[in-house]
Amino acid sequence: MVSAVATIDGSDAQPAVTGVDPLGAPLLRTRFALPARPGTFMRRERLVNHLEQAHLTPLTTVNGAAGAGKSLLVADWADGLRCPVAWLTADPADQAPGVFWAYLLESLRTSGVSLPEHVARPPASGQVDRTFLTRVAAGLSTLDPPVIVVLDEYERVTAPEISEQMHFVLSHAGNGLRLVLVGRNEPLLPLHRYRVAGDLTEIRNAELAFTSSEAAALLEAHGLRVAENAVCALVERTEGWAAGLRLCALAARQSPDPEQYLKEFEAGRSTVADFLLAEVLWQRPPEIQDLLLRVSVLERFSPDLANALTGRADAGPLLTELHRENAFVQDFGDSWYGLHPLFAEILRAHLRVQQPCPEPELHRRAARWLRRSGFPREALVHGAAADDWEFAADTVIDDLAIGQFFTGARTDELSDLFSRMAPETTGSSANLVRASLELSHHDLDRGLAHLRQAGEDLAVADGQDRAAARLSRAVLEALAARLTGSPDRAEAAAADAREARRHITGSLLDRHPEITALLRTHVGSALLWAGRFDDARAALAAAAASPAGTATALPRAEALGHLALIEHLDGWPGRAERTAAAAIAEGVRHSLGPRGGSGVASLVLAAVAVDRDELDEARTLLGAADAAPLPEDPVAWAGRVLVTARLHWARGHAHAALEAAAREIRAAVPSPWAQGHLALLASTVHLAAGRPEEAARTLETVPAGRLPAVTVEAAKAYLGLRNPARALGMLDRLPREAPTGPAVTVRATLVRAQAAHHAGDPDAAGRLVAAALVQARRERLRRPFLEAGPWIRPFLRSTHLQQLAEGWLTPGPRHHHERPTRPRSPDPSLVVEELSERERDVLRRLARAMSTEEIAEDLHLSVNTVKTHLKSAYRKLAVNRRNDAVRRARELRVL
């Protein structure tokens, strides 16, 4: 810092230093000295660069909490300046204007700025007249370069008249004065005027916080080299508070494991606690100390909530003042406040010692206020902290939050919280919560036991008062029906839900759309198991159409997966594929992870791949389904068993196919489609192995019904047992209005073609095979032809039918010098142009069922750019659709 020698009136004479204030007391010269910087002080260039703007504005304020590093920052900056700097550390005794100005003028003289005799000292301690201030301002206005005046700890100057006098001098000193005010709160100056005029440089508490890189450098200055994650954790815990970081660093140096200390230090018993209690808490009046201790149990609080904890009515102005003073009280907006996390941690430790009010009682008061005020999530946390588990369980149930045990958004949070629930807690709410915990962890027996107990508790409760509990129970009953394969139980649960909803406000239901979505998905799954496809489709479609959002993402994805399964069972592979892809995309879009409901959807895609004889693809998709934990319900297990058995059979592994088909699936009632398809597959294997009697016995276990896919497979089996009359009779009895797709009709047509062939009518058989080829070509259904048997081969080699089969079922025409190629595994050289790396990137994400928008976001491209890459890839692969592009790329082994 460079001293300047000048007189305030322009003369070269320098008056003698008086050295006393208007009361005759000697001036304390230590107040004119810059604060000493410790050896471990770290200069922060971003803040110093910001402070350089103080040269351009009349006023600069540096405001921050105690220990934020304000004074050291400004002292370090001032020490390197080449212009006069007058430093004054304020004192509570400066409330008399004459004393304050005596010190300020003396700080100017100390910096080398000379003053004329008539302003050497204010005439009186209690007041300063306008003439004196005018002379000071006039003298300062002549300085060039200007003098920088730093008033440190300015929050100690509380006399309004002193701030008014400072404003007057600053306004009239022109370019001769640059004033820097350093303090814990904003000064009592009209800052809004300075801001509007562009005459103010501000550094606030948030800017003073250390960044992770600055904290790492600070620790290194203390001889500590710490891993990046440990530094980030320390910065997060201290919120970059300078004093907290320095004190932690000093303490860590004394620890045998500094990094572990920084991760786990006990804030309540540390030098950090000593600092904060002394500088922030104990300097406050008793009523403010009591307020801070009580609100320390809250992550956020409003004045009304704080009043509920203190029993007073003055929290509003107290919190406003604490925030203004940077007393580690943060303003979150909308009249909500919070404590600095480390300060709150220390206060809680102090609260347990002081105990103005037991901590559990504070949590209990907070929980009840939050619940009354419409904040159930926070009420739940404080109810649990108070060990008031009956209140916590009631909060979950009455708020209809039971679905959040299953939808993923809060599953882990609620599970962790209620895992501590006392076993002696009783009541319907507690048992519903326990049932949810067990069922969400797939413990069916214990979950059903708690659900039964909750039903008994609710049987003696008033229906309207516990409507939310009854609806919650109905949702869990529907889940139980799904897990046990009980359609009657599902329909009873749906009826109970309809009755309970009559007594629940629409706004509560609107806040929890996942309740209805879960109910419909569970009911739809149970009805699907029972083979009631139309009823199941209605329930599942309604669930899939639930309002979009994270809360409903899981039931919507599961509903889409089950709808895809119905479409597959009805014989519509293309529809099933698109719906399954939508189910997977829903899980990806909302980052549902392992709980994403993609298991059944992946099974459907694998089943479609088997029908198309894309067996490697089917095995990959089946592996994806195994990687995604399936719900413990019979629909999912039956789907897995059926696809696994069919894949084994398609690969020629007859014994493995029989073993897979024989797996037991536990359910309250048998499923006609699961039982039928598995029995038919077993019958087919027995027949192919030359065991017609075993095949016939197995066939007799196929349930009679109106499921066209099962009927067609049964007809084929009876034809294999040389009973064409029964086979054709079964086909003739199929309802014509049945919504069957090509995967069923192609197989039915081939059964009729085989019967005509065995009856000696090759023309009819040829026409029927041609019709089957036309139906199958669009969906590329190859397995029905590959499994038809040797009788079909001559027909496929005929000239007319060969044209219908070429390119998708059999190899296309080739020249005499060409070697035969496998039709579904073409060589990569068949691609006209090589795919670019970016086109491959897009295709890889296309294969994960990502939308165009999701691909664009993942690759940091525009949507239009992604579309351009897709069009180019389509052209090179000679396809027109997304699924065809992925399939073709896999066939060519470019993915």
Side-chain angles (χ1 to χ4, degrees):
M1 182 175 65
V2 178
S3 297
V5 179
T7 59
I8 204 164
D9 59 356
S11 69
D12 294 330
Q14 209 173 6
V17 175
T18 61
V20 294
D21 65 19
L23 298 175
L27 297 174
L28 302 175
R29 307 202 62 78
T30 54
R31 293 178 57 189
F32 307 134
L34 272 65
R37 281 150 287 162
T40 55
F41 173 79
M42 193 194 80
R43 182 181 179 90
R44 292 191 279 169
E45 293 297 336
R46 64 179 177 89
L47 295 178
V48 172
N49 292 337
H50 193 172
L51 265 178
E52 284 297 311
Q53 297 179 28
H55 294 291
L56 307 176
T57 58
L59 177 62
T60 295
T61 61
V62 182
N63 301 321
K70 310 175 294 296
S71 300
L72 292 180
L73 165 68
V74 177
D76 179 60
W77 168 74
D79 198 34
L81 295 179
R82 302 182 63 82
C83 60
V85 176
W87 186 284
L88 173 63
T89 300
D91 188 272
D94 291 345
Q95 305 313 311
V99 174
F100 171 82
W101 283 101
Y103 268 99
L104 181 55
L105 295 179
E106 187 64 19
S107 72
L108 287 167
R109 292 191 181 92
T110 301
S111 71
V113 176
S114 297
L115 301 173
E117 289 294 337
H118 58 271
V119 292
R121 186 176 69 180
S125 64
Q127 61 181 3
V128 173
D129 60 22
R130 180 59 60 92
T131 301
F132 171 81
L133 298 174
T134 301
R135 289 174 179 171
V136 172
L140 290 172
S141 67
T142 64
L143 296 181
D144 186 20
V147 63
I148 292 178
V149 174
V150 179
L151 299 181
D152 191 21
E153 299 187 29
Y154 191 71
E155 76 277 0
R156 295 180 172 184
V157 180
T158 58
E161 59 268 30
I162 294 179
S163 293
E164 292 173 5
Q165 294 161 6
M166 284 299 310
H167 173 55
F168 175 85
V169 171
L170 185 60
S171 299
H172 296 285
N175 291 325
L177 173 63
R178 296 291 183 261
L179 179 63
V180 180
L181 301 180
V182 184
R184 297 184 183 181
N185 50 36
E186 290 189 344
L188 298 175
L189 271 70
L191 297 183
H192 60 283
R193 297 182 185 175
Y194 289 94
R195 290 189 183 108
V196 170
D199 290 338
L200 176 63
T201 297
E202 293 182 273
I203 295 180
R204 294 174 173 269
N205 198 53
E207 191 176 353
L208 291 168
F210 273 66
T211 64
S212 294
S213 58
E214 290 170 345
L218 177 66
L219 293 173
E220 192 167 336
H222 285 77
L224 301 172
R225 291 184 176 271
V226 181
E228 183 180 356
N229 63 337
V231 174
C232 292
L234 180 63
V235 171
E236 182 177 0
R237 190 174 178 189
T238 60
E239 291 194 346
W241 176 47
L245 290 170
R246 293 182 191 280
L247 292 171
C248 287
L250 290 169
R253 288 201 302 191
Q254 309 303 316
S255 171
D257 189 343
E259 185 165 320
Q260 196 66 22
Y261 174 86
L262 293 174
K263 288 180 179 178
E264 300 178 356
F265 72 91
E266 190 175 350
R269 300 185 178 185
S270 65
T271 53
V272 180
D274 296 339
F275 180 91
L276 282 175
L277 292 174
E279 291 291 324
V280 182
L281 184 66
W282 292 335
Q283 291 189 9
R284 309 286 167 185
E287 64 274 13
I288 293 183
Q289 292 186 34
D290 181 65
L291 170 67
L292 290 172
L293 288 169
R294 289 172 184 261
V295 298
S296 67
V297 303
L298 304 166
E299 285 192 9
R300 65 172 194 147
F301 44 87
S302 67
D304 288 342
L305 176 53
N307 287 333
L309 268 60
T310 63
R312 299 165 58 92
D314 56 355
L318 295 180
L319 291 172
T320 300
E321 183 62 19
L322 286 168
H323 171 65
R324 195 186 73 80
E325 295 177 1
N326 281 315
F328 293 87
V329 174
Q330 302 164 337
D331 188 346
F332 294 157
D334 296 325
S335 297
W336 285 90
Y337 298 87
L339 297 178
H340 184 289
L342 194 59
F343 187 38
E345 190 178 343
I346 291 166
L347 289 175
R348 285 193 295 273
H350 194 60
L351 173 67
R352 296 180 191 115
V353 177
Q354 295 287 94
Q355 286 216 337
C357 180
E359 191 172 349
E361 175 60 25
L362 293 174
H363 284 295
R364 190 172 291 109
R365 292 184 192 179
R368 277 152 177 75
W369 186 92
L370 288 163
R371 186 173 173 183
R372 286 194 309 271
S373 303
F375 301 99
R377 184 170 183 170
E378 291 166 276
L380 170 63
V381 171
H382 288 286
D387 282 330
D388 192 342
W389 293 108
E390 184 175 344
F391 172 90
D394 283 342
T395 299
V396 169
I397 300 304
D398 292 343
D399 186 52
L400 280 184
I402 199 75
Q404 295 174 3
F405 279 94
F406 305 95
T407 54
R410 294 183 63 198
T411 300
D412 293 337
E413 174 192 340
L414 290 172
S415 295
D416 291 345
L417 189 145
F418 279 104
S419 65
R420 308 192 305 270
M421 184 164 62
E424 60 272 14
T425 307
T426 58
S428 59
S429 295
N431 280 306
L432 287 171
V433 166
R434 290 190 180 103
S436 301
L437 279 172
E438 303 298 352
L439 292 175
S440 67
H441 292 116
H442 309 301
D443 191 334
L444 185 58
D445 292 337
R446 294 179 66 177
L448 293 179
H450 290 305
L451 191 55
R452 281 193 297 272
Q453 184 59 55
E456 294 173 8
D457 295 337
L458 286 171
V460 297
D462 182 85
Q464 294 189 27
D465 289 346
R466 297 311 316 274
R470 294 182 187 280
L471 180 55
S472 298
R473 177 179 174 272
V475 172
L476 295 178
E477 280 288 338
L479 173 57
R482 171 183 176 178
L483 298 178
T484 57
S486 176
D488 292 341
R489 187 173 193 170
E491 291 187 308
D496 290 344
R498 285 192 295 272
E499 175 60 26
R501 287 169 65 98
R502 294 176 53 244
H503 305 290
I504 298 176
T505 61
S507 59
L508 181 57
L509 290 169
D510 291 341
R511 288 206 309 272
H512 292 285
E514 74 276 4
I515 287 291
T516 303
L518 286 168
L519 179 71
R520 288 169 171 167
T521 300
H522 299 333
V523 171
S525 179
L527 296 175
L528 168 56
W529 172 252
R532 293 167 53 182
F533 288 176
D534 290 342
D535 295 335
R537 187 181 289 109
L540 293 167
S546 300
T550 303
T552 60
L554 181 64
R556 282 188 287 118
E558 287 191 337
L560 286 168
H562 283 66
L563 285 170
L565 180 57
I566 294 175
E567 289 165 340
H568 167 68
L569 294 172
D570 274 343
W572 297 96
R575 295 180 187 175
E577 184 178 45
R578 288 189 292 273
T579 307
I584 293 173
E586 184 71 11
V588 172
R589 186 176 300 114
H590 292 279
S591 304
L592 295 180
R595 306 176 191 268
S598 62
V600 172
S602 294
L603 287 175
V604 172
L605 293 176
V608 171
V610 170
D611 270 350
R612 291 171 174 164
D613 199 41
E614 297 166 351
L615 304 186
D616 290 340
E617 174 76 357
R619 183 172 61 181
T620 300
L621 290 165
L622 191 57
D626 290 338
L630 289 172
E632 302 289 322
D633 69 89
V635 168
W637 282 111
R640 174 179 282 162
V641 168
L642 185 57
V643 176
T644 302
R646 282 183 170 174
L647 181 58
H648 283 313
W649 177 238
R651 288 185 172 278
H653 305 150
H655 182 70
L658 278 178
E659 279 192 344
R663 290 178 185 170
E664 181 184 6
I665 302 171
R666 295 174 56 189
V669 299
S671 170
W673 60 268
Q675 185 179 354
H677 281 297
L678 291 171
L680 287 165
L681 180 62
S683 176
T684 301
V685 175
H686 287 309
L687 188 61
R691 298 188 293 270
E693 297 82 3
E694 187 68 24
R697 280 195 298 271
T698 305
L699 200 55
E700 292 301 325
T701 66
V702 176
R706 296 175 60 83
L707 294 179
V710 173
T711 302
V712 170
E713 290 288 347
K716 179 185 175 185
Y718 279 111
L719 189 61
L721 290 170
R722 302 186 183 280
N723 192 343
R726 184 167 184 180
L728 294 174
M730 295 177 74
L731 295 181
D732 290 339
R733 288 190 295 273
L734 279 174
R736 294 187 180 277
E737 69 278 4
T740 52
V744 176
T745 58
V746 166
R747 287 180 167 88
T749 304
L750 288 177
V751 171
R752 292 186 184 278
Q754 185 179 359
H757 171 71
H758 291 325
D761 189 351
D763 292 339
R767 287 192 300 272
L768 289 166
V769 171
L773 286 169
V774 171
Q775 296 174 59
R777 179 168 53 186
R778 181 179 178 82
E779 296 283 1
R780 302 182 308 285
L781 294 170
R782 303 182 183 99
R783 286 311 302 174
F785 298 92
L786 298 175
E787 294 175 352
W791 68 269
I792 201 172
R793 293 171 189 163
F795 291 97
L796 296 178
R797 286 195 293 267
S798 66
T799 303
H800 173 61
L801 295 185
Q802 191 175 21
Q803 292 177 351
L804 294 174
E806 281 176 354
W808 67 275
L809 181 59
T810 62
R814 52 188 171 87
H815 300 291
H816 68 279
H817 63 274
E818 291 179 322
R819 294 182 178 180
T821 58
R822 294 181 61 190
R824 291 178 300 284
S825 298
D827 189 84
S829 63
L830 295 179
V831 180
V832 178
E833 295 180 52
E834 183 178 356
L835 292 170
S836 70
E837 190 56 38
R838 182 59 82 190
E839 288 164 354
R840 290 171 187 255
D841 287 340
V842 171
L843 282 173
R844 289 186 191 103
R845 286 155 180 79
L846 210 63
R848 288 168 14 211
M850 294 174 68
S851 68
T852 305
E853 292 75 15
E854 289 168 336
I855 295 172
E857 182 178 355
D858 197 41
L859 293 176
H860 305 290
L861 301 173
S862 71
V863 172
N864 286 336
T865 301
V866 172
K867 289 179 178 178
T868 300
H869 288 309
L870 282 174
K871 288 178 182 178
S872 178
Y874 288 176
R875 177 180 58 79
K876 294 177 181 180
L877 295 170
V879 297
N880 296 313
R881 298 189 308 170
R882 296 164 65 95
N883 292 336
D884 292 341
V886 172
R887 187 174 297 104
R888 177 71 168 161
R890 283 174 173 159
E891 288 174 349
L892 296 172
R893 297 189 291 278
V894 296
L895 279 185

